[in-house]
Amino acid sequence: MADSLVIVESPAKAKTIGKYLGSKYIVKASMGHVRDLPKSQIGVEVENDFNPKYITIRGKGSVLKELKDASKKVKKVYLAADPDREGEAIAWHLAHALELDDTQSLRVVFNEITKTAVKDAFKTPRKINMDLVNAQQARRILDRLVGYKISPILWKKVKKGLSAGRVQSVAVKIILDRENEISAFVPEEYWTITAKLAVNGSAFEAKFTQLNGAKKELTNEQEVNEILEAIRDASFQVGEVKERERQRHPSPPFTTSSLQQEAARKLGFRAAKTMSVAQQLYEGVELGKEGTVGLITYMRTDSTRISGTAQEEAKEYITEKYGDPFVPESPRQYSKKAANAQDAHEAIRPTSILRDPESMKPFMSRDQLRLYKLVWERFVASQMASAVLDTLSVDIAANNTVFRATGSKVRFPGFMKVYVEGNDDGTTEEDKYLPELHTGDVLEKQDIEPKQHFTQPPPRYTEARLVKTLEELGIGRPSTYAPTLETIQKRGYVAIEEKKFMPTELGELVIEQMEQFFPEILNVEFTANMEEDLDHVEEGSEDWVKVLAEFYESFEKRLEVAEEEMKEIEIEDEVSDEICEKCGKPLVYKLGRFGKFLACSGFPDCRNTKPIVKDIGVACPKCKEGHVVERRSKKGRVFFGCDRYPECDFVSWDKPSTKPCPSCSSLMVEKKSKQGVKLQCTSCDYSEMVEEPDEAADL
């Protein structure tokens, strides 16, 4: 007969933990939060120390009744929500809703859902940590005040349906600022000269670097021609040869932020998808006879710390699998990357290194396996010896010019045998091998290639790059990145094109008003300092009411000024050349969540709308009658489809090419990769590169 009730957040977690604890425990799920601020009103008594008015979340009444009934039938209730601020708040709300004594030790936390970790956690239950709860309450109330106080002003002065958010608004401004940088960017011309040389039949490349003993940047064709003339009949002779050893160290195990970034780079996962799949791995996967097992540690963490037990297991595995040389002299310790990192939990790692991805393959979905493999490899590599590379730099003289060739080769792979971190630019560090060269060697000149380039504007933000920027600036916290990126898209303030964020006209309009009347909300330093204040509340060194009061004092004044001085903006509809096919009136351009669309000027009598489409000059390969046009999905993502839809349902995420496949005459589409842009046939294996990556893409 069960004498204890354990309440967790999800049914999957309940199922796993129930198996570990046995028949003396009933394990049920709260399905997340059970109480929250009401949606219909602000729900905060500002004049009464910001007292929140919590209500039962709609639809959770039956869940609470079930939990209440179960709690009355047992001697003890344990609250085992996730080990973070949100989890602590859920436990506190449950204690109030179930009328439990929250001064008792009824809170149980574990960083991994394994049999040992769970059973150990139940040996040492603790009281609910009110500092954690108050930090969560302060953030929730702060965001409620910003959203529910500013949004009505925007509705009245600008456009109905608009809303403002604290962290979200800063994220949109960062994206908008980058777009403005791109618009203002003036490209500058520069040139490179590459000499293709050979010695003893081995070819390699060298780039021009110096003229008359000084470093020389080539900025125009005239300068290039002067260099070409100088080396026309020159012999190329090896001058200084520099050899050195370089060590390359592994990256630390994953934090929430670095996992989101790397999953975006290597797997193409959106931040929300990464967190969803990671949650599944944390809560448990059915492993046949072994039962349900949590495969990774808690995935909301900013710590790179690893337990001694996990390090010892990793050492034994690496020694057995790869040999002693691959084990570092002492276990690796990684310092906190960010000054504001809380270090409350371990880094994200496998719960057992012995469960390698290959052995887990039969039990996982494709996405689960790919993310688990990433976590597993990153952790193993983080505990391995550094790689040793031999680098070679060779200066080659030709008359009064110097060309330089560089290369490297791996002497000892170390951690690179398992894993190498990606980067935001999509480039990889490839070995460039050079033949054996000695001072005085005369080289064979095979070709001289001058090439014109133009500097490129800073790149738009990908999800990985934006998450990295938010973390570096101290905006938000690891658990907030995924919902923040989802929110700014749902509200229509940004759209995604080619996996990069672009601000919409709606986003620009809102940020313009926010900058004028609520500059502190968009101020990066102000927002980062607010995050630090919330961290101090969590640590118990700051009073949460005081933090809110200090914020609200100036915020209230801003609200009054905005209410009085913000001018009403009338967004006039621009009349198009198109006529409504339903009523004959002109169609006008309307501003929607994902930019402009066409709507009938006869609204509300006629509610006809249609997207603005761009013909890309390609005949539909499916129906042969329509044309392929550029469209946007409901989430703002660009795709291509037939203009005869719904009669023809042809769609493609990749842009179709006007050029048919030379091999089979089928449709070819543009594929973008780290190597550049290539045309790929949709029917056969034919492909061809049409655009190389620009070497100056991030200058």
Side-chain angles (χ1 to χ4, degrees):
M1 181 73 178
D3 57 10
S4 296
L5 170 66
V6 180
I7 304 175
V8 296
E9 292 183 41
S10 74
K13 199 173 176 183
K15 180 182 176 184
T16 307
I17 292 170
K19 288 182 178 179
Y20 295 157
L21 295 177
S23 60
K24 289 188 177 181
Y25 295 83
I26 300 171
V27 186
K28 291 186 175 291
S30 70
M31 311 297 287
H33 280 276
V34 293
R35 296 198 312 171
D36 197 6
L37 299 174
K39 287 187 176 181
S40 58
Q41 54 182 284
I42 194 165
V44 178
E45 297 176 352
V46 175
E47 306 300 326
N48 185 22
D49 287 340
F50 301 93
N51 181 51
K53 296 190 293 184
Y54 293 114
I55 63 168
T56 300
I57 296 172
R58 180 176 293 180
K60 289 298 181 73
S62 58
V63 174
L64 270 180
K65 184 179 184 305
E66 182 183 342
L67 295 177
K68 275 183 180 179
D69 291 344
S71 68
K72 292 172 182 176
K73 298 175 183 176
V74 295
K75 297 177 183 178
K76 184 78 174 178
V77 177
Y78 293 100
L79 305 174
D82 287 346
D84 57 11
R85 289 179 191 172
E86 291 297 323
E88 206 70 20
I90 289 172
W92 180 70
H93 284 300
L94 281 168
H96 277 258
L98 303 181
E99 299 175 351
L100 305 176
D101 183 359
D102 59 10
T103 64
Q104 298 297 308
S105 297
L106 43 72
R107 180 80 169 108
V108 176
V109 294
F110 30 79
N111 193 47
E112 58 186 73
I113 303 179
T114 57
K115 193 169 187 177
T116 302
V118 170
K119 288 201 166 187
D120 285 347
F122 276 86
K123 293 175 185 176
T124 55
R126 60 167 173 79
K127 296 176 184 178
I128 291 173
N129 185 330
M130 286 308 299
D131 292 331
L132 280 172
V133 173
N134 289 334
Q136 189 275 342
Q137 283 196 109
R139 172 186 284 280
R140 186 75 185 93
I141 293 169
L142 187 63
D143 290 340
R144 174 57 66 100
L145 291 173
V146 171
Y148 275 53
K149 291 287 189 179
I150 297 179
S151 298
I153 299 175
L154 293 175
W155 296 353
K156 188 176 4 175
K157 304 287 188 176
V158 184
K159 184 178 184 286
K160 281 189 176 181
L162 294 184
S163 57
R166 190 174 58 89
V167 176
Q168 297 96 314
S169 295
V170 179
V172 175
K173 186 177 186 302
I174 289 171
I175 294 166
L176 179 57
D177 286 347
R178 176 54 56 88
E179 198 66 24
N180 291 334
E181 284 182 65
I182 294 170
S183 299
F185 183 82
V186 179
E188 294 181 5
E189 179 184 12
Y190 74 99
W191 289 71
T192 57
I193 302 175
T194 303
K196 296 183 178 180
L197 308 168
V199 62
N200 299 325
S202 297
F204 64 98
E205 293 183 349
K207 289 190 179 294
F208 168 81
T209 58
Q210 295 180 33
L211 177 65
N212 296 323
K215 188 176 179 180
K216 174 68 176 175
E217 302 287 344
L218 301 174
T219 59
N220 57 60
E221 192 171 6
Q222 182 180 341
E223 291 178 343
V224 172
N225 289 333
E226 290 172 4
I227 302 297
L228 295 177
E229 184 60 34
I231 62 174
R232 183 186 300 277
D233 300 316
S235 66
F236 285 72
Q237 189 172 27
V238 175
E240 187 178 16
V241 177
K242 292 181 182 177
E243 293 183 76
R244 69 184 180 93
E245 178 187 294
R246 179 168 71 92
Q247 283 199 340
R248 185 172 176 185
H249 306 298
S251 301
F254 283 130
T255 62
T256 303
S257 169
S258 59
L259 176 63
Q260 290 176 6
Q261 293 173 53
E262 193 73 340
R265 297 182 192 117
K266 290 194 169 183
L267 308 180
F269 282 9
R270 303 285 300 279
K273 179 174 181 177
T274 298
M275 297 309 291
S276 173
V277 177
Q279 183 87 33
Q280 296 165 21
L281 296 175
Y282 166 67
E283 291 186 345
V285 173
E286 189 73 36
L287 302 183
K289 292 180 180 178
E290 196 175 350
T292 305
V293 178
L295 296 180
I296 65 171
T297 52
Y298 192 54
M299 65 285 161
R300 292 186 179 89
T301 177
D302 55 12
S303 174
T304 53
R305 179 170 47 83
I306 292 296
S307 72
T309 304
Q311 284 193 317
E312 187 59 36
E313 187 183 53
K315 179 182 177 181
E316 292 176 8
Y317 178 86
I318 294 164
T319 302
E320 183 179 338
K321 179 81 173 177
Y322 301 106
D324 289 332
F326 287 85
V327 179
E329 292 183 4
S330 58
R332 292 193 178 277
Q333 301 295 333
Y334 294 96
S335 59
K336 292 192 291 186
K337 187 175 180 181
N340 54 19
Q342 294 301 289
D343 204 41
H345 312 296
E346 279 190 70
I348 304 169
R349 62 167 175 82
T351 52
S352 172
I353 200 172
L354 301 179
R355 297 190 186 96
D356 62 90
E358 189 60 34
S359 66
M360 295 294 100
K361 194 173 182 179
F363 308 107
M364 294 189 189
S365 68
R366 181 173 180 269
D367 285 342
Q368 287 175 338
L369 181 63
R370 293 172 75 202
L371 192 67
Y372 180 71
K373 186 171 184 284
L374 202 64
V375 172
W376 187 90
E377 289 179 346
R378 174 82 163 223
F379 171 65
V380 174
S382 77
Q383 303 304 304
M384 293 177 73
S386 299
V388 180
L389 292 83
D390 291 324
T391 63
L392 190 66
S393 175
V394 182
D395 284 349
I396 300 162
N399 278 349
N400 57 342
T401 70
V402 173
F403 285 69
R404 179 166 292 169
T406 58
S408 67
K409 63 180 178 180
V410 177
R411 187 199 305 172
F412 172 67
F415 74 93
M416 294 172 65
K417 195 171 185 70
V418 175
Y419 169 91
V420 178
E421 184 178 32
N423 58 61
D424 293 323
D425 306 325
T427 57
T428 55
E429 187 175 314
E430 296 178 354
D431 292 329
K432 290 183 180 178
Y433 294 100
L434 293 179
E436 190 172 339
L437 298 168
H438 304 94
T439 300
D441 285 351
V442 177
L443 307 173
E444 175 192 347
K445 179 175 67 176
Q446 294 184 337
D447 190 24
I448 301 294
E449 182 185 21
K451 193 172 182 180
Q452 182 187 38
H453 308 268
F454 290 93
T455 55
Q456 300 294 306
R460 292 189 175 100
Y461 286 101
T462 58
E463 278 211 351
R465 187 177 273 117
L466 185 57
V467 165
K468 183 179 181 181
T469 301
L470 291 171
E471 182 184 38
E472 289 173 345
L473 294 174
I475 306 299
R477 283 297 176 262
S479 60
T480 67
Y481 296 143
T484 294
L485 301 189
E486 287 294 302
T487 299
I488 61 177
Q489 292 172 71
K490 286 179 180 176
R491 289 181 177 170
Y493 296 158
V494 299
I496 290 184
E497 282 192 15
E498 298 177 352
K499 297 184 178 180
K500 292 173 184 158
F501 286 107
M502 291 182 65
T504 63
E505 292 179 66
L506 193 59
E508 291 182 34
L509 195 60
V510 170
I511 294 301
E512 182 182 329
Q513 298 304 311
M514 292 281 289
E515 278 188 308
Q516 184 176 350
F517 293 98
F518 301 98
E520 74 277 8
I521 300 297
L522 298 179
N523 183 284
V524 168
E525 187 176 349
F526 177 88
T527 307
N529 289 339
M530 183 58 69
E531 293 293 349
E532 288 186 12
D533 288 342
L534 293 173
D535 291 342
H536 293 154
V537 172
E538 179 175 329
E539 294 160 4
S541 60
E542 193 81 72
D543 179 69
W544 70 279
V545 175
K546 181 185 173 186
V547 169
L548 291 173
E550 288 176 352
F551 164 78
Y552 198 74
E553 183 179 359
S554 61
F555 180 61
E556 188 175 31
K557 294 173 183 175
R558 292 280 188 192
L559 289 168
E560 292 172 2
V561 172
E563 191 70 56
E564 289 291 324
E565 298 182 11
M566 187 183 290
K567 295 179 181 178
E568 290 192 27
I569 299 172
E570 189 173 338
I571 304 174
E572 294 186 1
D573 296 328
E574 179 186 348
V575 180
S576 76
D577 295 330
E578 295 192 46
I579 301 299
C580 176
E581 61 269 26
K582 293 188 177 179
C583 71
K585 292 183 178 178
L587 293 178
V588 295
Y589 293 103
K590 291 276 189 182
L591 190 59
R593 287 178 58 195
F594 301 113
K596 290 184 176 180
F597 65 96
L598 287 169
C600 182
S601 57
F603 180 87
D605 297 327
C606 178
R607 296 177 176 269
N608 185 31
T609 63
K610 57 193 296 188
I612 298 171
V613 296
K614 183 168 72 175
D615 193 325
I616 65 169
V618 178
C620 177
K622 188 168 186 178
C623 71
K624 312 297 183 185
E625 296 177 23
H627 289 84
V628 177
V629 294
E630 183 181 296
R631 298 181 183 273
R632 281 190 186 274
S633 69
K634 289 182 179 179
K635 290 190 175 181
R637 185 178 171 188
V638 171
F639 70 99
F640 303 88
C642 181
D643 63 358
R644 294 182 63 247
Y645 178 84
E647 286 82 7
C648 176
D649 61 359
F650 169 78
V651 290
S652 171
W653 290 115
D654 301 309
K655 185 178 181 179
S657 170
T658 54
K659 179 181 177 181
C661 175
S663 177
C664 69
S665 300
S666 297
L667 175 74
M668 292 207 293
V669 294
E670 292 182 6
K671 291 279 188 181
K672 296 187 177 180
S673 66
K674 298 171 185 176
Q675 290 72 40
V677 180
K678 71 176 180 179
L679 296 182
Q680 175 70 55
C681 180
T682 55
S683 297
C684 70
D685 294 333
Y686 178 83
S687 66
E688 62 176 85
M689 293 298 298
V690 292
E691 184 181 327
E692 300 294 333
D694 197 312
E695 297 174 39
D698 285 302
L699 290 182

